[in-house]
Amino acid sequence: MREEELVEALRMRALPEGSDDYLTLLEFLRLYRDATQFVINKLWSLNKVPSIKTLHRMFYNELRTHGFRAHHVKQIYVYAKTVVKACKRNNGRKPVLRKLTARLDKYDYKLNLDDRTLILKLHGGREVKLKLLTSTERVEKFRAWSNYELAVKIVENKIYVAVYFKKTVKFRKPRTVMTVDVNFDNVTLAVFTSSGGLLKLKRYRTPLRKILTHRIWIERIQRRYPRSWRFIKGVRRAIEKHGERIRCVACDYAHKIGDSIAELASRYSSIVVLENLNKLRSNVNRGSSFNKKLSLWFYRRMQFTISYEVLERGLEARYIDPSRTSSACPRCGSRLKDSGGRVLKCTRCGFTGDRDVVACVNLFYRYSRCGVPGVTLNAPKGDANPRPMQGKRDEAMTSTYINLHQS
């Protein structure tokens, strides 16, 4: 039975319990940031970023003289290497760190979930005790998980902690295949049996138009104040408000849709098939509108959440090449033509169907041709009896699959 590791972060506010704990932690985070910046400055002048082993020889002894623990030093030069590589890959300027944040290894802190306390082991043998502000329900979820790393930061005199947990998930044996098609207005899914019969069709509406509306307002504000919007506090606050709204809507919807689809996949014991959007992302970066990039970012967020929720339930998610899934006839393979209202028609065999359902069917065919164990390579049977759906659009979705098997 296959296994995979699942990682999740428990993010919380924290309060210092001792009178000097806040100042001690603040001093450590400043020292940690300055040490990381020192390593970045050294690495930036090199033509090639050294290996971890070379970094250890270069910086370990020097950073230890500042009172850092051994694992502190490792986290510092590993993080510095990551930042430098990312900036050079993107042809950016030398990074300058401003935020007070640090990542600690599991050997540098003690976590007690029962009374929700955290003891951090800092520089010079000092320790700081924090009280974690979180609910019992959130803590109970991670009882059976193992913690490893921790991130702590100070923002506007407030302490925030993120503890990373991991556990091993054993995959269940799938009995059905669920294909998920994500587009601008809808998320459409179809559940197929291993023999190709259709069990369920479902469509979810997306809030992407609402998200793009907020983006349009940001662009209008920036056009109205093209030179001064970065410096006027009220204008900058209005832009930040719309940006925060974009992130909240996308995050909330992604979690809801991910949980709904994962619950449905768990009910049918489905392996979930998604579209691989890596090539689409590279095409957008070569020159397209920002709204297109925002749409793709939204798709990726939804797909990540679906994959994570599915994995948490012991099921697997696979990614398939999405090229021509919405434009190829699932019956004869010819190119479909748009007949209006997202209805496609094949001029060769006369097939007519909904674009979203066509994409789901083609994803199933493409997944089946990969020779996956337990999935037949035959076409779906003509006696499939999908569950009735409500609404004219949903009736069109169901009739698409039925038309596919009409002789």
Side-chain angles (χ1 to χ4, degrees):
M1 183 178 294
R2 291 185 61 246
E3 298 179 351
E4 190 167 327
E5 200 169 64
L6 186 67
V7 177
E8 188 169 343
L10 176 60
R11 294 179 172 85
M12 304 159 284
R13 274 280 313 278
L15 295 177
E17 291 201 347
S19 57
D20 296 331
D21 285 346
Y22 177 80
L23 294 178
T24 303
L25 179 59
L26 182 63
E27 179 186 350
F28 169 75
L29 292 180
R30 287 174 175 169
L31 187 64
Y32 190 100
R33 179 192 61 187
D34 295 341
T36 307
Q37 186 66 55
F38 166 76
V39 177
I40 290 175
N41 294 340
K42 293 288 186 178
L43 297 181
W44 192 258
S45 59
L46 302 178
N47 295 328
K48 183 179 179 181
V49 180
S51 64
I52 297 297
K53 187 175 181 179
T54 305
L55 290 174
H56 183 80
R57 292 198 303 265
M58 292 173 61
F59 301 107
Y60 180 79
N61 293 329
E62 184 171 359
L63 293 179
R64 286 281 284 168
T65 59
H66 291 82
F68 288 113
R69 293 165 59 90
H71 292 94
H72 292 165
V73 175
K74 179 182 177 182
Q75 293 285 359
I76 287 173
Y77 60 65
V78 167
Y79 177 62
K81 176 182 178 180
T82 303
V83 173
V84 171
K85 287 185 66 176
C87 291
K88 288 194 173 184
R89 183 171 59 247
N90 297 326
N91 297 323
R93 298 179 180 178
K94 184 178 73 173
V96 178
L97 304 182
R98 303 186 186 279
K99 297 182 179 180
L100 297 175
T101 181
R103 187 176 292 269
L104 305 181
D105 197 88
K106 64 179 180 179
Y107 305 104
D108 297 327
Y109 70 90
K110 295 180 182 179
L111 177 66
N112 191 331
L113 291 179
D114 293 326
D115 56 4
R116 293 191 283 281
T117 58
L118 176 67
I119 299 178
L120 303 179
K121 300 178 181 179
L122 306 181
H123 61 296
R126 304 178 189 179
E127 290 187 353
V128 168
K129 189 173 183 180
L130 303 176
K131 182 67 176 180
L132 303 178
L133 306 180
T134 185
S135 62
T136 305
E137 293 76 9
R138 294 185 64 196
V139 170
E140 289 299 325
K141 176 181 178 180
F142 299 100
R143 289 288 182 182
W145 297 48
S146 61
N147 56 295
Y148 61 108
E149 285 186 347
L150 175 147
V152 58
K153 64 179 180 180
I154 293 180
V155 180
E156 297 179 352
N157 300 325
K158 296 179 181 179
I159 303 174
Y160 297 90
V161 174
V163 184
Y164 292 87
F165 294 85
K166 60 183 177 181
K167 72 173 182 178
T168 301
V169 178
K170 295 182 179 180
F171 287 117
R172 291 188 279 163
K173 185 177 181 180
R175 294 186 289 107
T176 61
V177 178
M178 175 187 290
T179 58
V180 182
D181 175 64
V182 182
N183 55 52
F184 192 89
D185 288 311
N186 304 296
V187 177
T188 307
L189 65 85
V191 181
F192 300 91
T193 63
S194 58
S195 60
L198 180 65
L199 295 177
K200 188 175 184 64
L201 279 172
K202 192 171 181 62
R203 191 198 306 271
Y204 301 90
R205 297 285 297 179
T206 69
L208 190 51
R209 291 188 183 274
K210 184 177 181 180
I211 290 175
L212 292 182
T213 300
H214 287 284
R215 180 60 209 176
I216 291 173
W217 276 106
I218 292 176
E219 293 174 347
R220 288 180 178 177
I221 295 173
Q222 291 174 335
R223 284 197 298 267
R224 186 173 181 179
Y225 305 93
R227 297 184 179 179
S228 59
W229 67 265
R230 293 181 180 86
F231 311 105
I232 301 178
K233 187 175 181 181
V235 176
R236 191 171 65 249
R237 187 180 302 168
I239 293 175
E240 292 174 354
K241 182 179 179 181
H242 285 289
E244 183 65 24
R245 187 60 181 162
I246 289 174
R247 289 187 292 271
C248 289
V249 171
C251 184
D252 291 344
Y253 182 81
H255 282 286
K256 289 179 181 178
I257 194 70
D259 189 67
S260 299
I261 292 178
E263 282 295 328
L264 195 61
S266 180
R267 188 191 313 168
Y268 286 96
S269 296
S270 301
I271 185 169
V272 179
V273 179
L274 301 165
E275 298 174 311
N276 188 344
L277 301 178
N278 288 336
K279 293 184 179 179
L280 295 179
R281 179 170 57 181
S282 62
N283 291 338
V284 170
N285 291 338
R286 279 198 293 267
S288 185
S289 66
F290 182 85
N291 289 344
K292 186 66 176 178
K293 296 180 183 178
L294 184 62
S295 305
L296 193 54
W297 164 79
F298 180 68
Y299 299 161
R300 297 286 296 181
R301 175 181 284 270
M302 280 196 297
Q303 287 193 337
F304 171 80
T305 308
I306 293 170
S307 301
Y308 182 86
E309 295 291 343
V310 165
L311 177 60
E312 195 172 21
R313 289 162 175 79
L315 298 170
E316 190 176 3
R318 295 284 186 88
Y319 287 87
I320 299 295
D321 181 13
S323 59
R324 298 188 70 245
T325 52
S326 298
S327 59
C329 177
R331 181 184 292 169
C332 66
S334 302
R335 187 172 184 83
L336 297 171
K337 291 189 176 181
D338 192 352
S339 298
R342 297 190 64 81
V343 176
L344 302 177
K345 184 175 182 179
C346 180
T347 57
R348 181 178 178 184
C349 66
F351 167 79
T352 303
D354 182 89
R355 178 188 294 270
D356 303 328
V357 183
V358 168
C360 289
V361 174
N362 283 331
L363 282 174
F364 173 75
Y365 284 167
R366 192 163 296 178
Y367 172 78
S368 301
R369 294 192 194 101
C370 297
V372 181
V375 179
T376 180
L377 301 184
N378 298 329
K381 307 301 180 183
D383 58 354
N385 185 22
R387 181 178 298 181
M389 306 182 74
Q390 299 178 352
K392 293 184 179 180
R393 283 291 303 272
D394 292 339
E395 291 176 2
M397 290 172 63
T398 305
S399 63
T400 299
Y401 188 82
I402 297 176
N403 293 338
L404 177 60
H405 313 297
Q406 291 178 347
S407 58

